[in-house]
Amino acid sequence: MINWFIELNPIFQATLAGVFTWACTAVGSAVVYLFRDVNRKLLDIMNGFAAGIMIAASFWSLLAPSIEYSQAGGYGKFSFVPPVIGFLLGGVFLRLIDAVVPNMDFASKTGVEGPRTSLSPTTLLFLAITIHNFPEGLSVGVAYGAGEMGLSSASLKSALILTIGIGLQNLPEGSALSMPIRSSGAPKNHAFNLGQASALVEIIGAALGAWLVTQVTIILPYALSFAAGAMIFVCVEELIPESQTNGNNDVATIALLCGFALMMSLDVGLG
């Protein structure tokens, strides 16, 4: 690890990590300059792989530190309470956002979540991915904030591993937005710009997450599990249905297992 990065305030570390995950989305979005049409099978494989990474990261990088912090925080036999509350609130929060902001329903691919709207399918898809990018940025920021607390399961190294994992899964996410827009006839630059812009919220989420847990340390176990719950919500509502509804179920499932195994290996082997 680079010394100058280690010496930075966790908020600045998280912000830079958010920039990295955004850049990965931009790289994924840039495939519109190489291809016009979506390779559905490849996209399903990448979505399954991304879901596996996020599920593994939700436990080893977020839930495990949340449980450890609660156990060390004097909760006694009720140490499960903060992780459970935070985890459920993370999912409920995203569901509420889906209910008040119009966006694409990934399960049906043609439906719309939230209030009735005249927005175009492209705009709805952009809003859906932007909404679901926020918890990824938040999880990165919370991980860097937790790295300051001296937990065995939460360190700067584990935060970096989470950053890499989120970055890897952002590659197909960028393509999942830019390629359909390009296929609909939009110019390459427009498709790319929408794809990369959907991840700008990750920079905000990362900075906010790190700031919250460093300013109000009592919320750390709740914040860690909140991010985990939100990420699991994204996997179950968006990534897994998207990968399983195009006739590529088996390869997408194998890709999910591979993504999970990769992230688990990084967290356990290097964390």
Side-chain angles (χ1 to χ4, degrees):
M1 290 184 285
I2 303 174
N3 289 334
W4 68 266
F5 186 80
I6 297 174
E7 296 170 357
L8 287 176
N9 181 285
I11 299 173
F12 291 113
Q13 291 175 339
T15 302
L16 290 176
V19 171
F20 171 79
T21 59
W22 160 80
C24 289
T25 304
V27 170
S29 301
V31 299
V32 294
Y33 293 107
L34 302 176
F35 308 101
R36 179 184 179 88
D37 297 319
V38 179
N39 184 318
R40 189 67 254 178
K41 185 174 183 179
L42 177 60
L43 192 57
D44 289 343
I45 291 172
M46 295 174 75
N47 278 327
F49 185 77
I53 287 178
M54 290 181 68
I55 293 170
S58 295
F59 177 73
W60 275 280
S61 297
L62 298 168
L63 275 178
S66 172
I67 294 168
E68 181 186 347
Y69 191 86
S70 295
Q71 290 173 337
Y75 288 92
K77 63 181 180 180
F78 297 105
S79 59
F80 67 91
V81 172
V84 168
I85 291 176
F87 184 80
L88 294 176
L89 285 178
V92 170
F93 173 76
L94 275 197
R95 183 63 192 92
L96 290 175
I97 295 296
D98 279 345
V100 299
V101 178
N103 63 93
M104 184 71 73
D105 182 354
F106 282 90
S108 68
K109 297 192 174 189
T110 57
V112 178
E113 292 185 309
R116 298 180 63 180
T117 179
S118 59
L119 295 174
S120 68
T122 294
T123 302
L124 293 171
L125 180 60
F126 172 80
L127 287 172
I129 294 182
T130 300
I131 290 169
H132 295 162
N133 272 335
F134 179 75
E136 297 172 14
L138 184 67
S139 66
V140 168
V142 170
Y144 280 94
E148 289 287 290
M149 306 304 172
L151 303 177
S152 61
S153 58
S155 63
L156 178 57
K157 185 181 291 186
S158 65
L160 286 169
I161 292 170
L162 176 62
T163 303
I164 294 171
I166 296 295
L168 286 173
Q169 73 90 31
N170 274 359
L171 293 171
E173 201 165 69
S175 302
L177 177 55
S178 65
M179 288 301 291
I181 295 173
R182 174 61 178 152
S183 297
S184 69
K188 294 179 181 179
N189 287 343
H190 179 69
F192 169 76
N193 285 332
L194 282 179
Q196 61 83 22
S198 69
L200 289 174
V201 70
E202 292 193 13
I203 302 174
I204 299 171
L208 177 63
W211 179 81
L212 282 174
V213 299
T214 54
Q215 297 300 309
V216 190
T217 57
I218 194 173
I219 71 168
L220 180 59
Y222 298 94
L224 285 164
S225 56
F226 179 95
M231 287 177 64
I232 292 295
F233 183 92
V234 171
C235 288
V236 175
E237 191 199 44
E238 175 188 334
L239 294 177
I240 294 176
E242 181 72 1
S243 70
Q244 295 288 321
T245 53
N246 303 289
N248 300 308
N249 308 46
D250 291 340
V251 290
T253 301
I254 294 298
L256 186 151
L257 295 175
C258 291
F260 186 97
L262 174 62
M263 193 64 196
M264 177 176 63
S265 300
L266 289 173
D267 264 311
V268 177
L270 302 178

